[in-house]
Amino acid sequence: MRGILIAGALAFLLSFFLTPLFIKFLARRGYGQQIRDDGPKTHHVKRGTPTMGGAIALRRDDVGHLSIGARANFALINAPSYIHLAYRPGVPLISTTWKDGNVIFTKGDIA
């Protein structure tokens, strides 16, 4: 138990102190958030701030983006909101599922 607490505290301290340095390093290298000119003026202060996405943290450049020809894994929900998944258990709300850009399930298919 003591080892877990020490590891957690060490991880917190390292991330708390090293993350600002890492952000400055990325900003110097030109990695940063693009802000459109027609967006809210309050967002302009974020221009150039590096985003710290989970995919980047895991050094994965093949996930977490939308582009032509990119693979896609997602499900189309036949409900007004995703929250219906929790409030309507047992009701089949998934109408279509894609994996690697291909339809693998359509409502009415028997798996």
Side-chain angles (χ1 to χ4, degrees), residues 3-76:
I4 293 172
L5 292 175
I6 291 172
L10 183 62
F12 170 76
L13 290 172
L14 286 174
S15 64
F16 185 78
F17 290 111
L18 294 181
T19 298
L21 297 174
F22 187 59
I23 289 173
K24 289 177 186 175
F25 168 78
L26 290 174
R28 281 195 307 269
R29 297 255 189 262
Y31 294 100
Q33 189 171 2
Q34 302 298 318
I35 305 295
R36 295 186 344 206
D37 291 330
D38 60 342
K41 299 296 182 203
T42 56
H43 288 196
H44 288 269
V45 297
K46 299 189 296 183
R47 187 182 312 263
T49 301
T51 57
M52 301 297 290
I56 293 171
L58 296 173
R59 295 186 178 163
R60 297 281 310 264
D61 60 355
D62 61 334
V63 296
H65 67 278
L66 294 174
S67 63
I68 295 174
R71 295 180 302 156
N73 298 333
F74 62 95
L76 182 63

Side-chain angles (χ1 to χ4, degrees), residues 91-108:
V91 177
L93 296 176
I94 304 296
S95 64
T96 308
T97 304
W98 284 265
K99 182 173 173 126
D100 293 330
N102 299 311
V103 174
I104 61 167
F105 170 79
T106 302
K107 192 170 192 168

Side-chain angles (χ1 to χ4, degrees), residues 77-93:
I77 301 170
N78 187 17
S81 171
Y82 70 92
I83 206 74
H84 285 259
L85 290 170
Y87 287 124
R88 300 184 65 196
V91 177
L93 296 176

